[in-house]
Amino acid sequence: MTEKKGKEAGSHTAIVNEASLNFFEKYINNPSPTGFEWEGQRMWLDYLKPFVDKTYIDNYGTAMGIINPDADYKVVIEAHADEISWFVNYITKDGLIYVIRNGGSDHQIAPSKRVNIHTDKGLVKAVFGWPAIHTRSGEKEETPNLKNIFLDCGATSKEEVEEMGIHVGCVVTYEDEFMVLNDRYYVGRALDNRAGGFMIAEVARLLKENAKQLPFGLYIVNSVQEEIGLRGAEMIAHYIKPNVAIVTDVTHDTQTPMINKITQGDLACGKGPVLSYAPAVQINLNRLLIDVATDKNIPFQRQASSRWTGTDTDAFAYSNGGVPSALISLPLRYMHTTVEMIHKEDVDNVIRLIYETVLKIEAGQDFRSFTI
């Protein structure tokens, strides 16, 4: 079966409306670092509540809305809520601050970035300092690394830093905010993967607005702590004990310089959702996604993920004796930077694909290739 791409798939159907876009912007701009996702989860649940029958949040902050909570057969659509960040790790006597990663933060983009240090007293502004180019003349150029990037919050002593409420363990996030670029791309930090949380909430909105009745329980799940090992998905999978899981996350657009298509694949923003092939991706559930995309003229791309997907798909697939799971990825440029980019049409099409697939799943559906 051949993918339908670009104009071959027919005219585009816009799904994101003005109200949902306003939520998306606020949701992206709100910090939600790994281990500290609570405020973002509160915002997400407030948006989701009108579209579901019940909400739940677990001890670590994974949030979900449920449609038909009393149904025996359980289908999950899932994304992760956390963003990469930094931890304060060491404060010098002169008031400079060194950090360690909280998730896969990129040290090379840090110099000259503005940040917020989260303290019990509120946000403290700071910058990642870097020696001026004039002062590096004649010296061997050092590249940014965890041993030489540092924060300057305007203090002149360790005591002054501590008086601001800053201590070892305070989390640090970038300031950069959401924007729309050339009326084509959404740009911002943490589109990986709060874009996913937004898209699954939009699926719930469409189901409500179109008065669709599902023959099973639908669990719209926004997991925490994906960036440090799929931990939130592990916990919530054991709590829900789902029969099926469809996960959405981001993947790399490989069309920009310095990316090797031989190793990373040939994927592009604007050409539709990406469907993955990996051991954790259940073959018949994946075929259902492909059939739905083809039938509904939704453009899509394919990606081979080798031994694992590196997403919450793996956590759901290998839980509870094995849960049929599949992955729908959103192509994204400049992952783990403050200028992550996604195509507006891809967002609409991921939402459409999840929505149409949910409507195709039957209560009690068995995804095994054969039974004995």
Side-chain angles (χ1 to χ4, degrees), residues 28-100:
I28 292 299
N29 289 344
N30 180 79
S32 191
T34 301
F36 301 83
E37 299 93 345
W38 290 95
E39 287 304 316
Q41 294 294 67
R42 189 194 316 274
M43 182 181 295
W44 183 80
L45 278 178
D46 285 345
Y47 181 74
L48 186 67
K49 278 179 182 177
F51 315 133
V52 298
D53 300 319
K54 182 180 178 180
T55 58
Y56 172 83
I57 191 159
D58 75 6
N59 289 326
Y60 278 84
T62 290
M64 66 182 174
I66 310 166
I67 298 171
N68 298 339
D70 297 326
D72 291 331
Y73 195 78
K74 301 174 184 179
V75 176
V76 163
I77 57 175
E78 191 261 8
H80 74 82
D82 59 317
E83 67 176 290
I84 57 170
S85 56
W86 303 95
F87 279 127
V88 171
N89 189 52
Y90 170 61
I91 304 169
T92 73
K93 63 181 178 60
D94 299 318
L96 299 176
I97 301 167
Y98 287 83
V99 297
I100 58 173

Side-chain angles (χ1 to χ4, degrees), residues 144-157:
N145 60 67
L146 285 177
K147 294 180 180 179
N148 63 20
I149 59 173
F150 61 90
L151 293 175
D152 188 335
C153 64
T156 57
S157 68

Side-chain angles (χ1 to χ4, degrees), residues 42-297:
R42 189 194 316 274
M43 182 181 295
W44 183 80
L45 278 178
D46 285 345
Y47 181 74
L48 186 67
K49 278 179 182 177
F51 315 133
V52 298
D53 300 319
K54 182 180 178 180
T55 58
Y56 172 83
I57 191 159
D58 75 6
N59 289 326
Y60 278 84
T62 290
M64 66 182 174
I66 310 166
I67 298 171
N68 298 339
D70 297 326
D72 291 331
Y73 195 78
K74 301 174 184 179
V75 176
V76 163
I77 57 175
E78 191 261 8
H80 74 82
D82 59 317
E83 67 176 290
I84 57 170
S85 56
W86 303 95
F87 279 127
V88 171
N89 189 52
Y90 170 61
I91 304 169
T92 73
K93 63 181 178 60
D94 299 318
L96 299 176
I97 301 167
Y98 287 83
V99 297
I100 58 173
R101 293 186 178 97
N102 184 17
S105 300
D106 189 346
H107 52 272
Q108 293 202 46
I109 70 162
S112 82
K113 286 291 186 184
R114 302 182 186 198
V115 301
N116 291 318
I117 304 175
H118 299 255
T119 79
D120 291 340
K121 295 181 178 181
L123 296 180
V124 176
K125 302 292 184 180
V127 298
F128 272 107
W130 194 247
I133 189 171
H134 318 69
T135 67
R136 307 198 306 269
S137 177
E139 302 290 333
K140 181 181 178 181
E141 285 280 352
E142 283 196 65
T143 57
N145 60 67
L146 285 177
K147 294 180 180 179
N148 63 20
I149 59 173
F150 61 90
L151 293 175
D152 188 335
C153 64
T156 57
S157 68
K158 180 177 182 180
E159 290 74 21
E160 187 179 357
V161 171
E162 291 174 340
E163 286 171 5
M164 293 177 176
I166 301 170
H167 57 74
V168 170
C170 281
V171 71
V172 181
T173 57
Y174 292 115
E175 272 195 348
D176 303 66
E177 295 191 337
F178 180 90
M179 70 175 180
V180 179
L181 186 65
N182 194 27
D183 197 31
R184 181 174 292 141
Y185 291 98
Y186 301 128
V187 179
R189 39 162 262 287
L191 293 177
D192 173 16
N193 179 35
R194 289 210 291 283
F198 169 69
M199 293 186 296
I200 59 175
E202 289 297 275
V203 172
R205 176 177 68 83
L206 291 182
L207 291 169
K208 183 72 171 182
E209 291 179 355
N210 295 326
K212 297 297 184 180
Q213 300 296 316
L214 299 177
F216 48 76
L218 182 66
Y219 292 69
I220 302 99
V221 178
N222 210 10
S223 295
V224 298
Q225 300 194 25
E226 187 272 351
E227 295 290 359
I228 49 88
L230 322 181
R231 300 308 185 191
E234 287 180 2
M235 291 183 274
I236 204 67
H238 289 296
Y239 176 81
I240 298 171
K241 295 181 170 54
N243 299 97
V244 181
I246 298 172
V247 173
T248 184
D249 206 328
V250 296
T251 192
H252 302 286
D253 169 294
T254 61
Q255 307 307 305
T256 55
M258 297 185 288
I259 298 179
N260 187 341
K261 292 185 177 68
I262 294 173
T263 58
Q264 299 297 323
D266 188 4
L267 302 169
C269 288
K271 291 191 175 181
V274 177
L275 301 182
S276 284
Y277 293 80
V281 175
Q282 209 275 345
I283 185 170
N284 292 317
L285 179 56
N286 210 37
R287 283 173 177 158
L288 176 61
L289 294 175
I290 293 169
D291 290 344
V292 169
T294 303
D295 181 58
K296 297 297 180 180
N297 290 326

